Amino acid sequence: PLPNSVPAEEAALAEPLSCCLNGQKAARLAPGETVVIFGAGPMGLLHVALAAACGAAQIIVRDPVAERLQKALELGATGTEVRGLVDVVITATPVKSVAEEALVLLKPFGRLCLFAGLPKDDSVLRLDGNLIHYKNLTVTGTTGGCAVDYRAALNLIASRRVDVRPIISHVFPVTKVAEAYDVALSGKCLKVVMTC
């Protein structure tokens, strides 16, 4: 059940946040660790807010769009430049080269989460097997979340441990669905939410 304290437009982000929970569990991101998140779109920003809430010591975000990097810093990112090796890399962008180069950033026993899918016609990666082998790296991919993740995400939103409000850029009534889709497809927004 939806807690009374959670508006419907915020509750709509419980599902995407549950996907981020699943990804960070798979990457075994622990308090005090350093994470690099590639991509500061809505999903990358949810990863930032979640990593901050869960106690990551350093949260580095990489994205070519300055406004999105600023939003990431507002949500808890600690920087935008990678300095030294890191514990976890999360790819929240469908850019193949990012996934291929991420292994270089990892410390021994580091973890790479391939969170974003890749284009269907160009999804084969070239990963350096020796880096994975000699650095004892773990490479995983995730999609979606389970009911446990969904409930946890809703609790994080209700408690404001993860504030999803800054990620909602537009709210439209369901009667303006065409306008909502136009805004969403423009690429000049974060999360677009429709309400009844």
Side-chain angles (χ1 to χ4, degrees):
L2 183 62
N4 292 331
S5 62
V6 180
E9 57 267 19
E10 293 178 39
L13 270 69
E15 189 280 331
L17 183 58
S18 75
C19 300
C20 294
L21 272 165
N22 182 35
Q24 290 191 22
K25 284 193 314 189
R28 302 186 318 275
L29 180 61
E33 290 192 319
T34 298
V35 58
V36 174
I37 299 166
F38 282 98
M43 297 307 287
L45 293 174
L46 284 172
H47 269 296
V48 169
L50 179 60
C54 294
Q58 298 292 318
I59 305 166
I60 311 302
V61 179
R62 304 289 294 140
D63 193 283
V65 180
E67 294 83 6
R68 288 187 173 195
L69 288 176
Q70 182 57 43
K71 182 66 78 174
L73 292 168
E74 292 168 14
L75 287 168
T78 57
T80 60
E81 296 295 327
V82 181
R83 292 183 169 86
L85 299 178
V86 303
D87 301 292
V88 173
V89 173
I90 297 171
T91 61
T93 181
V95 178
K96 193 168 148 177
S97 61
V98 167
E100 292 174 340
E101 295 166 14
L103 296 177
V104 176
L105 301 175
L106 290 168
K107 294 177 179 178
F109 298 95
R111 286 91 63 202
L112 168 60
C113 177
L114 301 173
F115 182 80
L118 296 172
K120 290 181 181 179
D121 61 345
D122 192 22
S123 62
V124 177
L125 294 174
R126 291 177 50 96
L127 299 179
D128 186 330
N130 277 345
L131 280 176
I132 296 169
H133 174 73
Y134 288 110
K135 288 172 69 174
N136 289 282
L137 302 180
T138 299
V139 178
T140 187
T142 62
T143 187
C146 67
V148 170
D149 297 325
Y150 195 95
R151 282 192 292 275
L154 195 53
N155 289 336
L156 286 167
I157 292 169
S159 68
R160 295 273 187 239
R161 293 276 316 244
V162 175
D163 186 359
V164 297
R165 291 173 296 180
I167 299 168
I168 301 169
S169 60
H170 296 79
V171 178
F172 290 95
V174 74
T175 55
K176 295 192 175 183
V177 67
E179 187 179 344
Y181 271 94
D182 287 343
V183 170
L185 294 172
S186 74
K188 297 177 182 173
C189 60
L190 291 175
K191 274 293 186 190
V192 175
V193 174
M194 290 185 287
T195 59
C196 295

